[in-house]
């Protein structure tokens, strides 16, 4: 495996105090820009009695108003632009996993900033000129495809813009071209890996992949191991959202201990989601971003609703940027079962550790006689399926998983073990939760 490389060392390995100064300067410029050009921000700042000159350092960020996804919907499509429409060279949109779509406008500068952020992620997994990067994120309004594409081109790799879908063709191209880097959602990477295994192909021999950048949906350490074993690669996390740029806002290096946030382009905060108070490093809360280099649609204190922790300790790789831990849930993804907060990631952690099932699962929530119910559907492996006494093995598995979930999450669930490949496969983001209570 190629060594972790640093794409822009002067920025990624900057002295943290100097970086703070840079962030302060860029924040001042951004605040002046949006106050002048975006009516929503002028109104919100005026309502709080905050003037652009009140913002001098990064610490002053606390004075600024928040931005919510609903603000993007209410001003759809161009109401939050800080520049005239003719300076916008690209529109991307959210995949709409949580409701109506929203769009973001990019200037030439913003497209370059985004490409640089993804290039850092590519370099961090060792991708460069000699690599062949197969992008199986969807191309289109969704930021995954074009985002990964630009980053791979930026480091000089050969890009294979497959887009999502058609697994057999993905595998054929991967084999014929000798793709070395894979970019897709972690759930699709697992599916690809299983399909490669089932086709009798051998990683490192028939398949030349060495590393992958996986993101756009939450995943766990257990899922990382599963993918790494199946494909014989280093699997690293890449995080982002359309509102801020797209994938690449943060990325993991080969140390695999949290995603480096591109802090010269964004300021990250963690807040308590109800009181909105800023929380110190190390505490879990809602991630909030302020863009400080965007010129098309800069956002102040954008509430991601993603829950995680921030770690300021300098990483072994030499980068000095703050790292974010895995997203443990979204405030709006949390399921409340009989008053208990449950995140899909907690259940995934149990499932990936259980021998005999594959980490393909669905959580079905319902309300029966006024009581919430949670059914966990998970697929058994081909080996269990092929056992002559599979019924007793399935019963054992059911009992074991029910107990494990009970001890981790604290609630009783109904576990259903389904046949291999019986649950729907996603080529993009996996839909894990089906909540029938809302219907
Ligand atoms: P949406 O899914 O809301 O339609 P996006 O396609 O922009 O919009 O997705 C952004 C969201 O996807 C993030 O806010 C986060 O919830 C999720 N996400 C993206 N990358 C990751 C990642 N590496 N780990 C966990 N969640 C991620
Ligand atoms: Zn690192």
């Amino acid at each position: 495996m190629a060594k972790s490389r640093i794409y822009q060392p002067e920025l990624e390995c900057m002295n943290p105090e100097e970086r703070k100064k840079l962030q302060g300067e860029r924040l001042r410029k951004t605040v002046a820009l949006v106050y002048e050009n975006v009516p929503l921000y002028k109104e919100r700042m005026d309502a709080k009695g905050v003037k652009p000159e009140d913002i001098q350092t990064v610490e002053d960020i606390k004075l600024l108003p928040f931005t919510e996804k609903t603000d993007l919907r209410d001003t759809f499509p161009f109401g939050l632009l800080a520049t005239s429409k003719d300076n916008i060279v690209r529109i991307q949109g959210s995949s709409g996993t949580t409701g109506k779509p929203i769009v973001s406008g990019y200037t030439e500068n913003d497209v370059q900033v985004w490409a640089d952020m993804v290039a850092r992620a590519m370099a961090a997994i060792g991708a460069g000129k000699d690599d062949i990067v197969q992008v199986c994120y969807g191309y289109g309004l969704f930021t995954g495809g074009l985002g990964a594409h630009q980053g791979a081109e930026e480091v000089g790799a050969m890009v294979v813009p497959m887009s999502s879908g058609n697994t057999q063709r993905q595998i054929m191209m991967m084999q014929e071209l000798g793709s070395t880097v894979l970019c897709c959602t972690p759930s699709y990477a697992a599916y690809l890996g299983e399909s490669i295994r089932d086709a009798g192909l051998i990683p490192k021999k028939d398949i030349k992949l060495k590393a992958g950048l996986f993101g756009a949906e939450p995943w766990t350490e257990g899922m990382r191991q599963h993918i790494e074993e199946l494909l014989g690669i280093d699997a690293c996390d890449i995080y982002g959202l359309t509102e801020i740029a797209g994938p690449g806002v943060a990325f993991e290096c080969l140390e695999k201990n949290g995603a480096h946030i591109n802090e010269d382009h964004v300021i990250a905060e963690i807040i308590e989601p109800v009181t909105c108070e800023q929380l110190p490093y190390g505490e879990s809360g809602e991630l909030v971003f302020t863009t400080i280099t965007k010129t098309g649609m800069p956002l102040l204190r954008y509430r991601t609703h993603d829950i995680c922790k921030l770690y300021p300790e300098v990483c072994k790789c030499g980068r000095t940027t703050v790292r974010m831990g895995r997203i443990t849930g979204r405030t709006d993804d949390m399921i409340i079962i009989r008053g208990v907060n449950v995140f899909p990631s907690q259940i995934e952690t149990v499932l990936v550790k259980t021998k005999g099932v594959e980490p393909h699962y669905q959580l079905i929530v319902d309300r029966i006689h006024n009581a919430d119910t949670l059914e966990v559907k998970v697929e058994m492996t081909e080996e269990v399926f092929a056992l002559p006494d599979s019924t007793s093995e399935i019963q054992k598995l059911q009992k074991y998983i029910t107990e494990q979930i009970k001890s981790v999450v604290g609630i009783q669930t109904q576990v259903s073990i389904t046949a291999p490949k019986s649950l729907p496969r996603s080529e993009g983001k996996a839909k894990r939760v089906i909540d029938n209570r809302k219907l």
Side-chain angles (χ1 to χ4, degrees):
M1 178 66 221
K3 267 183 62 187
S4 178
R5 291 188 302 118
I6 302 182
Y7 186 65
Q8 291 173 313
E10 67 292 358
L11 293 164
E12 295 178 72
C13 306
M14 218 174 175
N15 174 308
E17 286 308 312
E18 265 173 48
R19 185 184 289 116
K20 271 207 161 163
K21 270 191 227 144
L22 178 72
Q23 286 184 315
E25 276 161 36
R26 291 180 168 181
L27 178 65
R28 279 202 293 279
K29 274 195 200 154
T30 301
V31 170
L33 179 73
V34 298
Y35 189 80
E36 194 65 27
N37 295 290
V38 185
L40 178 134
Y41 283 126
K42 180 170 188 323
E43 279 161 31
R44 292 226 173 133
M45 284 175 60
D46 287 349
K48 289 185 106 210
V50 182
K51 293 270 164 261
E53 43 290 7
D54 296 334
I55 309 301
Q56 292 297 325
T57 66
V58 181
E59 278 72 33
D60 299 329
I61 202 166
K62 288 185 210 153
L63 302 171
L64 293 169
F66 288 100
T67 313
E68 287 272 7
K69 193 168 225 153
T70 47
D71 296 324
L72 275 81
R73 290 191 185 125
D74 296 345
T75 56
F76 179 87
F78 300 127
L80 288 181
L81 291 187
T83 184
S84 65
K85 225 171 29 186
D86 57 353
N87 291 323
I88 299 297
V89 299
R90 173 101 64 84
I91 288 292
Q92 300 271 189
S94 141
S95 60
T97 30
T98 56
K100 267 197 282 175
I102 49 107
V103 291
S104 183
Y106 300 65
T107 59
E108 224 176 311
N109 162 77
D110 301 345
V111 170
Q112 186 59 49
V113 163
W114 183 21
D116 283 343
M117 293 201 288
V118 185
R120 291 178 188 179
M122 290 283 168
I125 58 162
K129 255 193 85 35
D130 302 335
D131 284 287
I132 302 177
V133 179
Q134 184 156 338
V135 180
C136 341
Y137 284 117
Y139 280 64
L141 276 179
F142 173 52
T143 48
L146 281 160
H149 187 111
Q150 296 168 141
E153 273 191 357
E154 195 73 23
V155 296
M158 181 199 293
V159 194
V160 190
M162 294 296 291
S163 196
S164 57
N166 203 337
T167 304
Q168 291 317 313
R169 199 161 61 108
Q170 299 277 8
I171 296 172
M172 187 268 283
M173 290 296 269
M174 191 178 283
Q175 242 186 311
E176 296 290 330
L177 300 175
S179 304
T180 55
V181 173
L182 177 65
C183 298
C184 60
T185 55
S187 54
Y188 190 61
Y191 178 47
L192 257 178
E194 286 156 18
S195 306
I196 286 169
R197 177 193 62 195
D198 296 348
L201 299 171
I202 298 171
K204 295 208 167 92
K205 186 168 154 267
D206 306 314
I207 299 288
K208 300 281 183 284
L209 290 179
K210 58 180 193 185
L213 281 178
F214 306 116
E217 67 187 10
W219 52 315
T220 56
E221 277 308 309
M223 187 64 112
R224 176 185 346 247
Q225 274 170 24
H226 181 66
I227 295 170
E228 290 193 332
E229 280 163 22
L230 275 172
L231 290 168
I233 61 171
D234 282 299
C236 290
D237 195 11
I238 181 163
Y239 169 89
L241 60 167
T242 316
E243 296 86 325
I244 301 305
V249 172
F251 62 87
E252 266 186 339
C253 65
L254 289 172
E255 298 294 327
K256 302 177 193 168
N257 58 1
H260 288 278
I261 297 178
N262 281 308
E263 284 187 289
D264 48 324
H265 294 300
V266 296
I267 298 173
E269 299 171 78
I270 293 286
I271 62 163
E272 203 290 320
V274 179
T275 63
C276 296
E277 288 297 317
Q278 224 184 50
L279 295 175
Y281 286 141
E283 280 192 32
S284 179
E286 179 179 337
L287 186 58
V288 170
F289 286 113
T290 299
T291 68
I292 50 173
T293 50
K294 267 173 83 169
T295 54
M297 204 179 89
L299 295 181
L300 303 184
R301 307 191 85 192
Y302 183 72
R303 296 188 57 173
T304 64
H305 291 280
D306 291 325
I307 301 164
C308 71
K309 295 181 189 172
L310 297 182
Y311 302 98
E313 296 80 20
V314 172
C315 180
K316 280 200 200 120
C317 71
R319 292 175 183 83
T320 53
T321 40
V322 161
R323 281 164 293 132
M324 53 184 272
R326 283 192 181 279
I327 303 289
T328 51
R330 281 177 69 101
T331 53
D332 43 13
D333 227 23
M334 185 176 79
I335 353 173
I336 304 181
I337 304 289
R338 301 186 288 272
V340 179
N341 299 347
V342 181
F343 288 104
S345 60
Q346 293 174 298
I347 307 229
E348 180 175 307
T349 305
V350 169
L351 298 179
V352 289
K353 276 199 242 152
T354 307
K355 268 211 160 81
V357 296
E358 299 277 14
H360 292 293
Y361 62 96
Q362 262 188 344
L363 309 179
I364 320 277
V365 187
D366 216 329
R367 183 165 288 151
I368 295 167
H369 305 307
N370 290 323
D372 297 330
T373 58
L374 175 60
E375 181 187 2
V376 178
K377 282 190 176 173
V378 61
E379 286 176 10
M380 68 184 98
T381 56
E382 296 281 356
E383 291 80 60
V384 171
F385 191 63
L387 286 176
D389 61 340
S390 65
T391 320
S392 77
E393 185 58 31
I394 290 166
Q395 277 168 355
K396 265 192 243 156
L397 275 171
Q398 253 165 344
K399 185 159 176 285
Y400 176 77
I401 295 171
T402 311
E403 284 167 3
Q404 288 296 309
I405 295 177
K406 173 99 189 164
S407 79
V408 172
V409 193
I411 57 160
Q412 192 63 35
T413 52
Q414 187 205 323
V415 174
S416 309
I417 312 276
T418 68
K421 309 226 159 42
S422 61
L423 295 178
R425 289 291 187 271
S426 142
E427 286 157 354
K429 300 192 189 219
K431 183 159 174 51
R432 304 292 195 196
V433 182
I434 297 171
D435 194 340
N436 293 323
R437 294 177 300 185
K438 288 182 194 145
L439 298 177

